[in-house]
Amino acid sequence: MSAAVQDDRAESIRMIRDSAAAVAPPGGDLKRVRELRFQDPGFDPAVFREMGEMGWIGLRVPEAAGGAGLGLGEACALAEELGAALVPEPLIPAMLSAAILAGTPRLAKLLAGEAVLLTAWQERADTLEVPGNADASRRFIPMAAGATALLLPVREGRKLALYEHPAAGLTIERTQDGGNVGSFTPDLAGATKLAEDVGPALEAALEEAALLTGAYLLGGMERAFAMTVDYLKTRSQFGRIIGTFQALQHRAADLKMQLALTRASIESAAAALDEGATGDARRAAVSRAKARAAEASLRVTRECIQLHGGIGYTDQYDVGLYLRKAMVLANQYGSASLHRKRFMAVSPEVEE
């Protein structure tokens, strides 16, 4: 990649980060997030529409199909900024849906943020496989309480057809962070067929959703760590700033290393996919990044709470919200354990 192209790409990523300030205030104010917790639908439909107007839902959709046609470097940068602000709107699930709606009349409304179309692909916990059984219950649909309709992949012979299914009849459960997930048993009698085969598109979209979730987790743990460093620099105990205690400095240094390694993994994976990685190389890059992000986010946010002492364990103090979010997203689109196993199975770096 030439220097000019690299500069253009860096500018594009910077502009995407700047645009996130529209819904993710850089000052870290979580008042809006707190107001939406444990409420239905758990996010603000007006903010979701704003995301559509800014082109975020179609960020990865080709320009010819009405999207922005940008790369995963830009998408991960956006997800990171939203993670730092704990933005609850289901952007990543919507981007997954947009990826499989190419060529259908439903895409335009989703890209505009006028319809919240969520893909009900998961039949069991901790998987990236899509069996597509027509009568199997679909589970773990993120922020399903706000769904306009559901996209239902169904196995028909060797193809994975796509249906639009009404969102009525969902069972909604609260999640640790105050959001929700939905489950339901499909009834194709009330569904509309949208596409004959979305199998390859859905497989690629799930890979990207896993990577974007890792980037979101990275943004959250970096913000939690920054809050913790500020606290260590100001809190006094025994007549000293606690950040001067060597034991706490060592723990903070360990967390800083976790952040650096996670960022390197996310950015390396995004670059590999943007450069056209396919097959096992693509899967290995995504799994390495998601496994590290899932584990590091839980470790970093837990230790940030501990480093705050008693105040960190109160719900009124914001640092705990980042642990709650990590607990929900660490297993979304595959747990660390699943991705480690997959990496071992497909990575050329691992010898027999």
Side-chain angles (χ1 to χ4, degrees), residues 195-225:
E196 293 293 335
D197 187 12
V198 297
L202 181 54
E203 181 180 358
L206 286 170
E207 300 281 352
E208 294 191 6
L211 182 57
L212 292 174
T213 300
Y216 187 106
L217 288 168
L218 171 61
M221 63 177 118
E222 285 199 324
R223 176 59 188 154
F225 180 72

Side-chain angles (χ1 to χ4, degrees), residues 178-204:
N180 60 80
V181 293
S183 60
F184 79 111
T185 300
D187 179 7
L188 292 184
T192 303
K193 194 171 188 177
L194 300 179
E196 293 293 335
D197 187 12
V198 297
L202 181 54
E203 181 180 358

Side-chain angles (χ1 to χ4, degrees), residues 27-87:
D29 184 1
L30 299 181
K31 180 181 177 181
R32 185 180 81 90
V33 174
R34 286 186 173 278
E35 290 174 347
L36 291 169
R37 290 195 308 159
F38 304 108
Q39 306 294 323
D40 286 336
F43 64 91
D44 187 345
V47 171
F48 186 80
R49 285 194 297 274
E50 188 176 357
M51 289 178 167
E53 292 167 0
M54 290 188 290
W56 292 357
I57 300 172
L59 197 71
R60 294 282 296 138
V61 174
E63 291 184 70
L70 296 179
L72 274 166
E74 289 88 347
C76 284
L78 175 60
E80 185 186 329
E81 295 297 321
L82 300 185
L86 297 179
V87 171

Side-chain angles (χ1 to χ4, degrees), residues 17 30 76-87 212-228 259 262-263 293 296-298 300-302 304 318-326 329:
R17 288 188 183 277
L30 299 181
C76 284
L78 175 60
E80 185 186 329
E81 295 297 321
L82 300 185
L86 297 179
V87 171
L212 292 174
T213 300
Y216 187 106
L217 288 168
L218 171 61
M221 63 177 118
E222 285 199 324
R223 176 59 188 154
F225 180 72
M227 293 172 62
T228 304
L259 294 173
T262 303
R263 175 169 294 284
S297 63
L298 290 172
V300 169
T301 53
R302 281 171 177 156
C304 283
D318 285 347
V319 74
L321 300 182
Y322 289 90
L323 172 58
R324 288 176 178 270
K325 182 65 75 173
L329 293 187

